[in-house]
Amino acid sequence: MIKIGDLCIRQCAATKEEVLCQIVSLYDKRDIDYDCPESVAIIPFVKALWLSGENQGQEFRSARRNFTRAWEVISDT
């Protein structure tokens, strides 16, 4: 289970460099099918801040499902 403030690590597939991020927020985003307005999906998202690597200091967003596959929590708050 990931929480706000957790530090996470992953290895970059291209450069094999390990990068760090910190989770800034967790939220749910609605995915509305405009062809069928009754069809609404709720997709959990993660907003995180790069702490190392070439994107250091920038925020990124990822679906929680993809984030948990790619990143490993190394420090719980």
Side-chain angles (χ1 to χ4, degrees), residues 23-56:
I23 297 174
V24 176
S25 70
L26 302 170
Y27 62 97
D28 295 326
K29 184 176 179 183
R30 291 182 295 170
D31 183 24
I32 301 170
D33 182 2
Y34 293 106
D35 294 331
C36 180
E38 292 86 21
S39 174
V40 178
I42 305 297
I43 303 172
F45 265 77
V46 173
K47 185 176 177 183
L49 179 69
W50 293 103
L51 297 178
S52 66
E54 58 188 49
N55 296 320
Q56 185 174 358

Side-chain angles (χ1 to χ4, degrees), residues 56-73:
Q56 185 174 358
Q58 297 178 4
E59 288 185 344
F60 70 96
R61 292 172 177 82
S62 175
R64 215 172 299 175
R65 171 184 61 204
N66 298 333
F67 187 87
T68 55
R69 287 182 190 157
W71 294 84
E72 177 186 351
V73 176

